[in-house]
Amino acid sequence: MDHLRPVESGASSPDECGRADEAAFARLYDATAPRVLGLAVRVVRDRAQAEEVAQEAFLEIWRTAGRFDPQRGSPLAWLLTITHRKAVDRVRAAEAATRRDLTYQQRNQPVEHDSTAEAAQASLEARRVRGALAHLTEVQREAVSLAYLGGYTHTEVATMLDLPVGTAKTRIRDGLIRLRDAMGVGS
């Protein structure tokens, strides 16, 4: 207990806390908490985070007090070293999390696209399709146009053209084959 007196009189030593003496730990806490919290605030720069760091530090102090060696330094130096290490770990963890979040956002951010180029491409494709439709017979063009440009089902196309469903499907299929060949698309 004498080796803690220069820090705060009446405080318990880590040796006493190491024997799971809760009253001794309470005295140690009361004597050193302001300095432990002050160091944590200076390192992490956020009061709420600093309070968590101080709590973690005191928990480690409680768990490891039996390993305190007065020959290696003062009790206060030991307490503040643990606190500083915990605070630096917290800062590094926060920085790593921020880097991870930024990297994730950069990798998963949708790529801006050029709507003008996209519209021009769609216009060129539409022109190609209209040009290829000219290669179809009139009955194929009518059936394909209703099905793919009009959005009608095979049954609806058959009803509109007053055809059996099988005939409408054949005209659509034959028209698509001819359309594919006209556009130069591989089979």
Side-chain angles (χ1 to χ4, degrees):
M1 188 149 146
D2 290 336
H3 43 67
L4 193 59
R5 286 200 195 283
V7 175
E8 302 284 341
S9 65
S12 297
S13 73
D15 291 335
E16 291 173 300
C17 296
R19 293 187 292 273
D21 183 342
E22 291 181 23
F25 184 76
R27 288 189 304 276
L28 178 70
Y29 178 87
D30 290 342
T32 60
R35 299 210 42 197
V36 167
L37 181 59
L39 174 61
V41 167
R42 282 191 303 278
V43 175
V44 298
R45 299 182 186 262
D46 176 84
R47 178 79 181 193
Q49 292 285 323
E51 288 172 359
E52 289 181 18
V53 166
Q55 182 179 3
E56 291 170 11
F58 277 112
L59 181 60
E60 184 171 330
I61 290 162
W62 172 256
R63 289 180 180 160
T64 63
R67 291 187 240 153
F68 171 71
D69 181 3
Q71 301 300 325
R72 296 184 65 197
S74 73
L76 184 61
W78 181 69
L79 299 171
L80 295 179
T81 298
I82 291 171
T83 303
H84 187 264
R85 188 178 70 237
K86 294 284 184 190
V88 168
D89 288 348
R90 178 65 62 105
V91 169
R92 287 179 180 155
E95 288 173 353
T98 300
R99 280 192 306 275
R100 274 192 310 275
D101 289 346
L102 288 174
T103 301
Y104 178 81
Q105 286 174 354
Q106 289 169 349
R107 289 183 180 163
N108 295 305
Q109 190 171 29
V111 177
E112 294 288 328
H113 66 279
D114 185 353
S115 60
T116 304
E118 200 173 274
Q121 180 67 29
S123 177
L124 289 173
E125 288 297 317
R127 192 174 308 152
R128 278 186 67 209
V129 170
R130 280 193 304 275
L133 282 171
H135 295 331
L136 303 181
T137 66
E138 182 62 35
V139 292
Q140 290 172 340
R141 183 175 31 257
E142 190 175 33
V144 168
S145 294
L146 286 171
Y148 289 95
L149 302 177
Y152 296 103
T153 67
H154 291 148
T155 305
E156 291 170 330
V157 170
T159 302
M160 294 170 85
L161 297 177
D162 195 29
L163 299 168
V165 175
T167 303
K169 286 181 177 182
T170 300
R171 287 182 182 178
I172 293 169
R173 187 194 73 231
D174 291 348
L176 289 175
I177 291 170
R178 192 175 238 181
L179 192 59
R180 180 192 66 206
D181 292 344
M183 293 183 69
V185 178
S187 46

